[in-house]
């Protein structure tokens, strides 16, 4: 057997190969509407009802660090990021299963706290926890969550529906989660250095070294407790809006826009000055001598919704502060680009957000960003 490192083809190259291998199995279930390649799989239950299914895997030291996130927050976040995929299909979440791999470093009390956060999130989103599995793990904590939702087929939004002339919108603000992560990683490093230097030999002295993070509270909360935008889905229902295409912002605006344009077979142009970035995010990026726009484009884990709408639905969004119009859809040969603050054109296809198995030589933009927690 030959040996090709996964980093040579990257995360999305691997997904593509898996899709090619498994495509023949999709024909075995004629009610399958959408398989691999979107935020969720879609199965037609009846002519009036479709089921949407999403699964996510979270690995300790890859997706989260137990030194920087409380277990209650982790439970809530783990469910929320899965529900975000359901929202990205313009669907309603209903049920979830939770599977855990646990090491000797996790206690009963820690797992109870994890499930407290999980329950709180489930109650908030109206999702029933209906089962799961547990297993021992020799490589830290592993979390696998599957969420099932539903929607009327005609109301579903895929990544592949954007049309030339559609307007591009995003909910909320971007880059704040990555700003919070930067602060947490800096403070974690300082704490570990103090501990290794012997400045924190017991719990009491360690507590004295804990930083005051009140000024960073908004960014840290955005990172540790992101909210799935189920409220946006409800607003679409109230306004009679069906996005022509939609995706959640988990890997950064630039990365998600590329997914959307690639799946839709179109191009796009966004404006840097129209990207919604809060002053708190800009202040933190200045503190780290970074560019806040890079946080928004490539930082990820904001879990906002990036979507396109036709001209009629775009008018319905006018005056709603929750949304920012950032650009328009163009023909495919235009490319996927951004006009920066100096009026220069930036090719977004040459840069991306976080990818698993990434070859470190792939792009300078990737090298500038550490992996998301």
């Amino acid at each position: 057997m030959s040996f090709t490192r996964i980093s040579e083809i990257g995360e999305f190259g691997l997904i593509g190969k898996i899709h090619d291998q498994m495509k023949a199995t999709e024909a075995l279930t004629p009610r399958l509407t959408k398989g691999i390649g979107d935020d969720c799989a879609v199965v037609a239950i009846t002519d009036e009802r479709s089921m949407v299914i999403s699964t996510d895997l979270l690995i300790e030291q890859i997706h989260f660090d137990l030194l920087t996130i409380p277990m209650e927050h982790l439970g809530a976040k783990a469910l929320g990021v899965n529900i975000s995929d359901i929202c990205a299909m313009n669907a309603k979440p209903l049920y979830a299963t939770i599977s855990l791999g646990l090491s000797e470093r996790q206690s009963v009390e820690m797992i109870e706290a994890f499930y407290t956060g999980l329950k709180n999130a489930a109650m908030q989103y109206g999702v029933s926890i209906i089962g799961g599995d547990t297993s021992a793990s020799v490589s830290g904590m592993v979390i696998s969550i599957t969420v099932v939702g539903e929607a009327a087929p005609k109301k579903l939004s895929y990544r592949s529906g954007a049309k030339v002339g559609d307007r591009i919108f995003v909910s909320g603000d971007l880059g704040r989660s990555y700003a919070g992560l930067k602060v947490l990683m800096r403070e974690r490093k300082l704490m570990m250095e103090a501990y290794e230097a012997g400045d924190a030999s017991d719990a009491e002295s360690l507590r004295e070294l804990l930083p005051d993070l009140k000024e960073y509270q908004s960014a840290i909360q955005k990172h540790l407790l992101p909210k799935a935008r189920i409220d946006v889905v409800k607003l679409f229902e109230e306004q009679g809006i069906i996005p022509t295409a939609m995706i959640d912002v988990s890997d950064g605006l630039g990365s998600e826009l590329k997914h959307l344009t690639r799946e839709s077979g179109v191009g796009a142009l966004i404006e840097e000055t129209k990207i919604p970035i809060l002053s708190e995010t800009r202040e933190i990026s200045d503190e780290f001598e970074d560019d806040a726009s890079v946080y928004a484009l490539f930082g990820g884990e904001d879990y906002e919704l990036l979507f396109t709408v036709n001209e009629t639905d775009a008018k319905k969004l006018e005056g709603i502060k929750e949304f920012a119009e950032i650009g328009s859809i163009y023909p495919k040969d235009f490319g996927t680009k951004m006009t920066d603050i100096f009026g220069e054109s930036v090719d977004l296809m040459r840069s991306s957000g976080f990818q698993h198995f990434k070859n470190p030589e792939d792009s300078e933009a990737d090298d500038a960003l550490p992996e998301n927690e």
Side-chain angles (χ1 to χ4, degrees):
M1 181 182 293
S2 60
F3 186 89
T4 303
R5 294 185 183 278
I6 299 176
S7 60
E8 293 180 30
I9 63 172
E11 177 185 2
F12 301 117
L14 179 63
I15 292 172
K17 283 184 173 292
I18 292 171
H19 189 195
D20 290 342
Q21 276 190 281
M22 298 297 107
K23 199 167 185 177
T25 68
E26 295 182 359
L28 301 176
T29 49
R31 287 191 172 274
L32 179 67
T33 304
K34 182 67 178 180
I36 298 171
D38 215 302
D39 287 283
C40 297
V42 180
V43 179
I45 303 302
T46 68
D47 291 341
E48 302 297 325
R49 179 170 171 262
S50 288
M51 178 171 63
V52 295
I53 309 164
S54 178
T55 295
D56 265 334
L57 192 63
L58 287 80
I59 309 291
E60 185 178 352
Q61 297 305 323
I62 299 293
H63 299 95
F64 60 91
D65 185 338
L66 291 178
L67 290 178
T68 61
I69 183 167
M71 292 299 286
E72 281 192 36
H73 288 43
L74 180 59
K77 181 174 182 177
L79 184 61
V81 301
N82 279 267
I83 290 174
S84 182
D85 285 333
I86 304 293
C87 293
M89 304 297 292
N90 202 31
K92 176 184 178 181
L94 295 175
Y95 312 105
T97 61
I98 318 296
S99 295
L100 297 179
L102 304 170
S103 73
E104 284 295 317
R105 295 196 301 274
Q106 281 85 56
S107 66
V108 172
E109 290 78 10
M110 291 172 70
I111 304 309
E112 287 179 333
F114 174 87
Y115 272 94
T116 295
L118 192 72
K119 176 185 176 182
N120 291 340
M123 297 295 289
Q124 176 186 354
Y125 296 121
V127 172
S128 298
I129 307 300
I130 60 173
D133 193 17
T134 57
S135 172
S137 169
V138 296
S139 56
M141 189 174 182
V142 179
I143 307 166
S144 178
I145 296 182
T146 297
V147 179
V148 177
E150 70 173 3
K154 64 181 180 180
K155 293 185 178 180
L156 285 168
S157 294
Y158 298 90
R159 298 178 182 181
S160 55
K163 301 291 190 298
V164 174
D166 283 352
R167 312 256 283 274
I168 305 171
F169 285 80
V170 68
S171 67
D173 65 280
L174 301 176
R176 184 156 48 108
S177 176
Y178 186 73
L181 174 61
K182 289 278 283 191
V183 171
L184 288 173
M185 291 298 97
R186 179 186 65 189
E187 299 305 325
R188 179 189 187 279
K189 180 181 179 182
L190 293 174
M191 289 285 292
M192 293 303 296
E193 288 175 351
Y195 181 79
E196 291 169 359
D199 297 334
S201 56
D202 53 35
E204 182 65 30
S205 56
L206 187 62
R207 276 193 293 271
E208 292 177 359
L209 292 173
L210 291 174
D212 184 356
L213 299 176
K214 288 182 181 178
E215 64 179 302
Y216 307 111
Q217 183 175 349
S218 172
I220 291 174
Q221 183 174 17
K222 177 72 170 180
H223 183 72
L224 296 182
L225 280 175
K227 303 297 184 184
R229 299 311 305 264
I230 196 168
D231 59 318
V232 171
V233 175
K234 292 177 180 178
L235 189 149
F236 288 156
E237 179 73 20
E238 293 168 359
Q239 296 290 328
I241 294 171
I242 302 175
T244 53
M246 187 155 58
I247 187 172
D248 74 329
V249 183
S250 57
D251 294 328
L253 173 63
S255 180
E256 310 305 352
L257 184 61
K258 286 196 303 182
H259 289 319
L260 191 149
T261 55
R262 185 182 294 116
E263 290 296 321
S264 293
V266 296
L269 177 64
I270 62 172
E271 296 182 40
E272 182 179 4
T273 56
K274 292 184 177 180
I275 298 174
I277 302 174
L278 295 185
S279 58
E280 295 95 317
T281 303
R282 295 190 184 279
E283 289 168 3
I284 292 173
S285 68
D286 288 344
E287 189 175 327
F288 284 93
E289 298 183 347
D290 291 331
D291 185 342
S293 292
V294 174
Y295 287 13
L297 287 166
F298 308 116
E301 293 210 304
D302 287 305
Y303 297 104
E304 297 295 342
L305 294 176
L306 172 68
F307 60 96
T308 60
V309 291
N310 59 33
E311 193 72 24
T312 299
D313 282 346
K315 290 180 180 179
K316 297 177 183 178
L317 295 174
E318 292 178 0
I320 300 179
K321 295 181 179 180
E322 189 57 41
F323 303 112
E325 182 178 349
I326 61 174
S328 298
I329 296 296
Y330 283 76
K332 183 178 181 180
D333 58 7
F334 178 86
T336 300
K337 302 175 182 178
M338 179 183 74
T339 302
D340 69 14
I341 59 174
F342 304 106
E344 299 293 326
S345 179
V346 178
D347 185 358
L348 294 177
M349 297 302 290
R350 297 175 61 86
S351 304
S352 66
F354 171 71
Q355 293 185 38
H356 293 276
F357 318 115
K358 178 182 66 65
N359 186 329
E361 298 179 356
D362 282 348
S363 78
E364 293 180 5
D366 288 347
D367 292 341
L369 290 168
E371 184 174 343
N372 285 342
E373 183 184 47

